[in-house]
Amino acid sequence: MEGISHPIPRTVEEVFSDFRGRRAGLIKALTSEVDRFYQQCDPEKENLCLYGFPNETWEVNLPVEEVPPELPEPALGINFARDGMQDKDWLLLVAVHSDSWLLAVAFYFGARFGSGKNERKRLFQLINDLPTVFEVVAGNPKQSKEQSAIQNSKSKSSSKMQSETQSKVVKSSQPPKEDEDRGEEEDDDEQGATCGACGESYGNDEFWICCDVCERWFHGKCVKITPAKAEHIKQYKCPGCSGNKRPRV
C-alpha cells in the first residue's frame, strides 16, 4: 500500500517519469525478482495487491484502508489464483492487471492537475512507445519491431505505389498521392492531408494507412492499426468499407 511520499507529478513529463518508474518496478517483480514475488503471494494470506513505485521498486501488500483511496488501487487478491493456474499464466494475468493500473494512475494525475486534450494525447503517446508489462513478461515486446516497421515503410510504400493490391502503409511528413494524375486533382489534396475518421490534418511522425477501396487516408490510431500489424495486411479496408461503423476517437 502506498502512502505518497514521492513528489506528486503535475506536468506531462513528470507523470510519464512516474509511470516509467512504477512500470520498471512491476517488471522487476514479474521477471528478474519473480521468485521473491512468488513467495510473497501466499494464497493463505488476505487479499494482496502488487504495487510499483516511482523509484523502480515494488511491494506486495494489503490494499489501503482509506475509502476512496488517494490513488487508484491495483487488482485485489492476486495471491488467491497463484496455485490454481500455471505459473506463466498467473504472471501474465498479474501483468495485464498491472498495465491497467499503471494507466489508471497516470491518467488520474493528468485529470487531477488539469491536463488538457493535447497534454493527455502527448502523455499517451509517450506511454504507448513503451512495451506493456504484459508484452515484456510474455517475452514479445513490440517496441523494436514497430520501430523497424516504421523505418521500412517509406521504401516499401514507394515501390508498391503503382500496385492495385498495395497496403499503402507510410510514415512520412505527408501522406503520398496514389499516382501523378490523381496527385493533380484538387480534392485528392484534401483526402491526402486529412484523416477520414477524425478529420484532422496530418502531423509529422504520425502513422497513416490508406483504404484500398475508398482510397481515403486514416491515422493508424483512429482505425486501431499499428505499423507492425499493417505489414501483414495485403488489402486494407477501412471500417466504413468493411461494413463497420467509423471508430470514435
Side-chain angles (χ1 to χ4, degrees):
M1 113 181 66
E2 180 174 4
I4 303 182
S5 57
H6 308 281
I8 298 177
R10 297 174 183 269
T11 67
V12 170
E13 290 73 19
E14 290 172 347
V15 173
F16 178 62
S17 178
D18 180 272
F19 172 92
R20 190 168 49 191
R22 294 177 188 273
R23 170 182 170 275
L26 295 173
I27 290 174
K28 286 180 183 178
L30 298 174
T31 56
S32 61
E33 301 177 9
V34 68
D35 291 339
R36 183 160 64 92
F37 170 67
Y38 186 90
Q39 292 174 358
Q40 293 186 21
C41 292
D42 186 349
E44 299 299 322
K45 295 182 179 180
E46 299 181 38
N47 290 301
L48 295 175
C49 302
L50 172 61
Y51 295 88
F53 300 115
N55 62 356
E56 301 187 5
T57 61
W58 59 274
E59 178 184 52
V60 172
N61 210 330
L62 296 171
V64 298
E65 297 180 0
E66 180 185 6
V67 178
E70 189 169 1
L71 285 178
E73 282 288 289
L76 183 66
I78 58 171
N79 52 315
F80 294 147
R82 191 195 72 176
D83 294 344
M85 304 174 65
Q86 295 290 331
D87 290 352
K88 186 68 172 181
D89 293 336
W90 175 65
L91 291 173
L92 290 174
L93 178 64
V94 177
V96 75
H97 280 292
S98 297
D99 282 318
S100 300
W101 177 66
L102 286 171
L103 288 173
V105 172
F107 280 87
Y108 164 83
F109 285 129
R112 179 178 176 184
F113 298 111
S115 295
K117 176 182 177 181
N118 291 334
E119 286 80 10
R120 293 193 303 272
K121 180 179 179 181
R122 185 156 61 93
L123 173 60
F124 182 76
Q125 287 175 334
L126 289 170
I127 291 173
N128 203 38
D129 284 339
L130 296 174
T132 63
V133 177
F134 179 89
E135 289 169 348
V136 174
V137 175
N140 60 339
K142 299 178 180 178
Q143 184 181 27
S144 58
K145 185 183 295 183
E146 290 191 3
Q147 286 177 342
S148 61
I150 291 171
Q151 295 297 325
N152 293 334
S153 62
K154 292 182 181 180
S155 59
K156 289 187 177 182
S157 62
S158 60
S159 63
K160 294 181 181 179
M161 197 62 67
Q162 302 292 331
S163 172
E164 294 180 357
T165 59
Q166 61 186 349
S167 64
K168 300 175 185 174
V169 180
V170 67
K171 180 191 177 221
S172 62
S173 60
Q174 179 177 355
K177 309 294 188 292
E178 178 73 11
D179 51 50
E180 293 182 359
D181 293 333
R182 288 188 54 83
E184 296 175 356
E185 295 180 6
E186 192 175 315
D187 59 348
D188 185 65
D189 288 338
E190 296 179 359
Q191 290 184 2
T194 59
C195 174
C198 68
E200 294 184 359
S201 299
Y202 76 93
N204 291 336
D205 297 326
E206 289 187 310
F207 171 74
W208 290 73
I209 187 167
C210 183
C211 175
D212 286 289
V213 178
C214 66
E215 299 184 343
R216 289 186 300 173
W217 287 91
F218 297 84
H219 290 109
K221 63 185 178 183
C222 291
V223 292
K224 299 181 180 179
I225 299 293
T226 64
K229 184 176 181 181
E231 290 293 308
H232 302 286
I233 300 176
K234 293 183 179 180
Q235 185 178 41
Y236 173 68
K237 292 183 180 180
C238 70
C241 293
S242 62
N244 297 327
K245 293 181 180 180
R246 184 177 298 178
R248 295 181 180 180
V249 294

